[in-house]
Amino acid sequence: MIRTRVENLKEGDVLAYPVIDEAGRVLIGAGIPLKGIVIRRLRELGFNYVYVEAPGFEDVERLELISQNTELEIVKTSKEVFGKIKRTQELDPQKIQHLAVTVLNEILSKKNIAIVIDDLMVTSDYLFRHLARTMLFSSVLGINLGYSENKLRELAKAAFLHDIGFAFIDESIRNKKRKLSPEEMEIIKQHPKLADSILVKNKFSSSVRKAVLQHHERFDGSGYPAGLKGDEIFELARVIAVIDVFEAMTSDTPYRRALFPGEVYEYVMSQSGRLFDPDIVKVFSKKIIIYPTGTSVILSNNFIGVVKSINISYPLRPIVKVFAKMMDDGSVNYLDTDFEIDLLRTLDVVIVGSTDLSGNIIDYERDFSARY
């Protein structure tokens, strides 16, 4: 199988995995040739990538962080939580605790733990998807930071709840597709304090409250709501800050299309010690998988291939199955025989970008001016 952008799908392509909705229903089955109307539906649902069957790449397997059933549970719980908060301002700490334990148990059951951007999302609603992914990715980062079981639960709960203050922000502002006015931005900046008031009322721990309240603080003091800096910022908030920005920038939002994960990775790295805690960024950089299995990539030696498997300790240096070469004139020469390159053993070669299977380099908008 290969991982391809939805916009590059053609009639007759066959999904390698079914597409399901937030209720667990199969929307588009695997193994059936796609028609134009189905491809348009995938676009409408907000998908950026899907996995399709491809001759010669049957040995490529999808790398999964968590099962779709568990992701469904996170999304379902987030919708229930938001709905209840808006109606009654009540939260059930036990329900959130149960969700955190469920998520952590599944992640810890994996042999190799890394941050994997799972493209088969189960909801097109940005906010609920963002809560789910922030919880998952923060948990993985906490595990790799060596956190205790209790500290991991507190981190998972805080990551899940970090944006609950948006329940009290007018949707016309929250979902605005154009740039916010200064007045609207000030309203958006109230969401950490709004969340904290709810957490106090519902007797959540001080750890969860501080992590939620401070997740928009920045290492250099440029964040909000209090302008804290460095170690003044609660450690769990510093973890969520990295994940919150990375996940938001790699997702479609009401005001901006998703950026390429490699670009966002470079942005996060460039802000180490400025916006983000450098020690946390260092661990993040070793556990983020920018090019999941099935991704078509171009290498620095101009070969084009598909990521076959991940070297989990060095995720930026996977094993690539090469099938073509980019020529000096920009044309693509397909090889008679595929071969593999292990980038962990071939240190003078690196991935320099992503392509489609025709060898066309995919360009991504470089816009880091969005609000976070």
Side-chain angles (χ1 to χ4, degrees), residues 169-178 180 184 188 371:
I169 302 291
D170 192 287
E171 288 190 16
S172 65
I173 297 176
R174 175 157 55 92
N175 296 325
K176 187 175 180 180
K177 295 183 179 181
R178 295 185 300 274
L180 294 178
E184 290 169 330
I188 288 290
R371 55 188 187 272

Side-chain angles (χ1 to χ4, degrees), residues 140-336:
V140 172
L141 190 49
I143 290 167
N144 285 285
L145 284 163
Y147 287 174
S148 66
E149 184 177 336
N150 182 65
K151 196 171 181 179
L152 284 172
R153 285 197 298 268
E154 296 294 277
L155 174 61
K157 289 187 286 186
F160 176 73
L161 296 167
H162 77 286
D163 273 348
I164 61 166
F166 277 117
F168 304 102
I169 302 291
D170 192 287
E171 288 190 16
S172 65
I173 297 176
R174 175 157 55 92
N175 296 325
K176 187 175 180 180
K177 295 183 179 181
R178 295 185 300 274
K179 186 176 180 180
L180 294 178
S181 68
E183 294 77 17
E184 290 169 330
M185 193 62 213
E186 288 305 311
I187 293 173
I188 288 290
K189 287 183 176 181
Q190 295 303 309
H191 76 273
K193 290 184 177 180
L194 293 170
D196 184 56
S197 67
I198 292 297
L199 297 178
V200 170
K201 180 177 179 180
N202 289 276
K203 296 180 172 56
F204 278 82
S205 70
S206 61
S207 293
V208 171
R209 287 173 45 208
K210 284 191 289 186
V212 170
L213 180 63
Q214 298 176 17
H215 76 275
H216 275 289
E217 301 289 357
R218 294 296 178 251
F219 205 68
D220 63 357
S222 63
Y224 63 87
L228 303 177
K229 62 182 179 180
D231 291 342
E232 294 174 351
I233 307 168
F234 187 53
E235 184 181 359
L236 301 189
R238 284 180 265 149
V239 172
I240 296 172
V242 174
I243 298 300
D244 180 40
V245 169
F246 179 83
E247 202 290 320
M249 294 178 75
T250 53
S251 297
D252 282 339
T253 72
Y255 48 88
R256 177 192 36 75
R257 283 203 64 188
L259 297 170
F260 183 48
E263 288 189 328
V264 183
Y265 170 84
E266 293 296 336
Y267 172 74
V268 171
M269 296 303 294
S270 73
Q271 300 303 313
S272 176
R274 180 171 172 257
L275 301 184
F276 309 120
D277 184 327
D279 293 332
I280 292 171
V281 171
K282 183 177 180 180
V283 176
F284 168 83
S285 71
K286 294 178 179 179
K287 290 300 174 181
I288 178 70
I289 295 178
I290 302 300
Y291 304 103
T293 52
T295 304
S296 181
V297 295
I298 184 167
L299 306 178
S300 56
N301 57 8
N302 287 336
F303 279 114
I304 297 169
V306 170
V307 175
K308 180 180 178 181
S309 61
I310 303 296
N311 289 309
I312 204 69
S313 297
Y314 300 90
L316 294 179
R317 305 199 70 84
I319 296 172
V320 178
K321 188 172 185 177
V322 173
F323 65 88
K325 186 171 185 178
M326 179 77 71
M327 309 308 290
D328 291 340
D329 62 0
S331 63
V332 176
N333 180 33
Y334 291 89
L335 307 180
D336 294 331

